[in-house]
């Protein structure tokens, strides 16, 4: 599908609704899960956390809603996620996505090295998930698979899918769209010490979307970027 078909600015009137539906679902699910589990973990010993087993996967429920909202709105009001955002990868999407994913990894390594000197003992979300898994269980394998494939799909549907489509509909310059979507991507992870690194990663991942005009390339770039954290989650 040609780039101009994906970025048809005359068909994006619903895209902000898709973005805020996904974002609202994410924060609502986070609020509900936090309220439902507050008593359960009120007196947890952080040095000896409980093994959650299948409950571990509930951590990813809010993230699923990030992508589900845009997908549903696109199906109802648009032409479907594949035609609206370009989700089915082409050979060019794979090439560009792999290259930009490698650039995102390089940016993460360079900036992470600098940031770790400033904050030498941070705790990442990947480490928190691993601490609650009880070792290399099937649940941890499923969590690692979601980090590698699920999170890139849902987060890209929200940022480089719905939000990019909405901003393009209002004829915002591509460079501004790239920066804004990278900023939203960084804030979504809610890890303040990594904000600069996440923003740089978001720029690299978004560059794949800008080059090809299709969200599939940014999904590939995001998955490439998440490969090492997924492996670390399972083996670390």
């Amino acid at each position: 599908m040609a780039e101009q078909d994906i970025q048809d600015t005359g068909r994006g009137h619903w895209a902000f609704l898709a973005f805020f539906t996904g974002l609202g679902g994410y924060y609502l699910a986070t609020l509900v899960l936090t309220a439902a589990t507050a008593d359960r973990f009120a007196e947890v010993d952080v040095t000896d956390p409980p093994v959650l087993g299948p409950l571990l996967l509930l951590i990813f429920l809010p993230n699923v809603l990030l992508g589900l909202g845009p997908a549903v709105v696109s199906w109802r009001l648009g032409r479907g996620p594949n035609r609206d955002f370009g989700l089915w990868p082409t050979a060019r999407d794979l090439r560009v996505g792999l290259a930009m994913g490698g650039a995102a990894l390089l940016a993460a390594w360079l900036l992470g090295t600098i940031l770790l000197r400033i904050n030498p003992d941070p705790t990442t979300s990947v480490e928190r998930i691993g601490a609650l898994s009880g070792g290399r269980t099937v649940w941890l394998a499923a969590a690692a698979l979601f980090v590698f494939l699920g999170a890139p799909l849902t987060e890209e549907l929200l940022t480089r899918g719905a939000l990019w489509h909405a901003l393009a509909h209002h004829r915002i310059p591509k460079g501004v769209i790239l920066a804004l979507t990278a900023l939203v991507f960084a804030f979504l992870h809610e890890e303040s010490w990594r904000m600069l690194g996440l923003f740089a990663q978001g720029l690299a991942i978004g560059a794949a979307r800008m080059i090809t005009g299709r969200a599939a390339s940014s999904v590939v770039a995001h998955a490439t970027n998440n490969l090492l954290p997924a492996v670390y989650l399972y083996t670390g």
Side-chain angles (χ1 to χ4, degrees), residues 82 86-95 214-220:
N82 186 45
L87 282 182
W88 190 258
T90 65
R92 184 169 184 244
D93 292 330
L94 293 173
R95 290 194 303 269
R214 298 166 51 81
S217 59
S218 64
V219 173
V220 173

Side-chain angles (χ1 to χ4, degrees), residues 7-225:
Q7 297 183 348
D8 185 349
T9 56
R11 294 179 179 270
H13 61 282
W14 47 268
F16 271 129
L17 174 62
F19 171 73
F20 285 112
T21 298
L23 195 64
Y26 171 82
Y27 284 113
L28 179 61
T30 299
L31 181 64
V32 170
L33 285 174
T34 301
T37 59
D39 292 338
R40 179 181 177 88
F41 301 115
E43 299 180 2
V44 166
D45 181 359
V46 294
T47 64
D48 185 25
V51 176
L52 296 185
L55 293 180
L56 177 68
L57 299 185
L58 283 178
I59 295 173
F60 297 105
L61 178 60
N63 199 289
V64 170
L65 296 179
L66 281 177
L68 186 60
V72 169
V73 174
S74 174
W75 276 318
R76 294 296 301 272
L77 301 179
R79 300 177 293 175
N82 186 45
R83 295 186 66 190
D84 287 329
F85 309 136
L87 282 182
W88 190 258
T90 65
R92 184 169 184 244
D93 292 330
L94 293 173
R95 290 194 303 269
V96 173
L98 288 170
M100 291 300 100
L105 277 173
L106 179 60
W109 178 75
L110 290 173
L111 289 170
T113 300
I114 297 170
L115 293 172
L116 281 172
R117 292 182 180 275
I118 300 171
N119 183 14
D121 190 28
T123 300
T124 67
S125 57
V126 168
E127 289 168 333
R128 288 193 293 268
I129 293 168
L132 295 173
S133 67
R136 295 182 190 176
T137 63
V138 65
W139 308 112
L140 185 60
L145 184 63
F146 187 86
V147 168
F148 174 52
L149 293 177
L153 179 60
T154 59
E155 292 172 16
E156 293 309 307
L157 269 170
L158 183 81
T159 54
R160 262 69 66 165
L163 181 57
W164 193 294
H165 203 66
L167 295 171
H169 172 69
H170 291 284
R171 303 188 185 281
I172 305 299
K174 287 184 179 181
V176 177
I177 296 176
L178 176 65
L180 287 175
T181 53
L183 189 62
V184 170
F185 171 81
F187 274 110
L188 277 176
H189 290 77
E190 299 177 353
E191 295 181 73
S192 57
W193 76 274
R194 293 179 60 210
M195 189 66 66
L196 181 59
L198 287 165
F199 179 71
Q201 289 173 278
L203 289 175
I205 293 169
R209 170 70 168 84
M210 187 165 66
I211 291 168
T212 65
R214 298 166 51 81
S217 59
S218 64
V219 173
V220 173
H222 197 152
T224 303
N225 176 77

